[in-house]
Amino acid sequence: MSKFSEKLKELRKKYRITRLMLAKLLYFTVSVVALCENGQRECGFDILLKLDEIFDTSTDHLIGKTDYKN
């Protein structure tokens, strides 16, 4: 599992957002969110930026480059 998929799952659970809720925010299906969390699909830069907004974090944190939130 990639750092991104681990961080995505961790942040989603921390913010108590279900896969369905996140899918709706990203205009994805639940299965696409599951694939991203399982490391079987990568997200584009536009999705990373949207995730940054949803979870109030930085792209560096999301991809595991840094442990710092911002």
Side-chain angles (χ1 to χ4, degrees), residues 1-9 35-43 62-64:
M1 196 179 309
S2 71
K3 293 256 185 185
F4 168 74
S5 57
E6 291 172 11
K7 292 287 183 182
L8 177 59
K9 189 172 187 175
L35 289 171
C36 291
E37 284 188 356
N38 293 327
Q40 297 173 309
R41 181 178 173 145
E42 294 182 9
C43 292
L62 249 177
I63 62 173

Side-chain angles (χ1 to χ4, degrees), residues 7-55:
K7 292 287 183 182
L8 177 59
K9 189 172 187 175
E10 173 188 308
L11 287 168
R12 184 180 59 76
K13 288 184 175 190
K14 178 182 175 183
Y15 281 79
R16 296 182 178 171
I17 296 175
T18 65
R19 283 182 174 171
L20 177 61
M21 292 165 60
L22 185 57
K24 287 182 178 183
L25 289 169
L26 297 172
Y27 302 101
F28 279 171
T29 62
V30 175
S31 59
V32 170
V33 172
L35 289 171
C36 291
E37 284 188 356
N38 293 327
Q40 297 173 309
R41 181 178 173 145
E42 294 182 9
C43 292
F45 189 68
D46 56 332
I47 299 303
L48 286 175
L49 293 176
K50 191 156 190 145
L51 289 169
D52 290 349
E53 290 177 23
I54 293 168
F55 296 120

Side-chain angles (χ1 to χ4, degrees), residues 3 7 10-11 14-15 52 55-70:
K3 293 256 185 185
K7 292 287 183 182
E10 173 188 308
L11 287 168
K14 178 182 175 183
Y15 281 79
D52 290 349
F55 296 120
D56 188 31
T57 190
S58 69
T59 303
D60 284 348
H61 178 71
L62 249 177
I63 62 173
K65 187 175 176 183
T66 179
D67 287 336
Y68 299 110
K69 184 177 172 182
N70 288 321

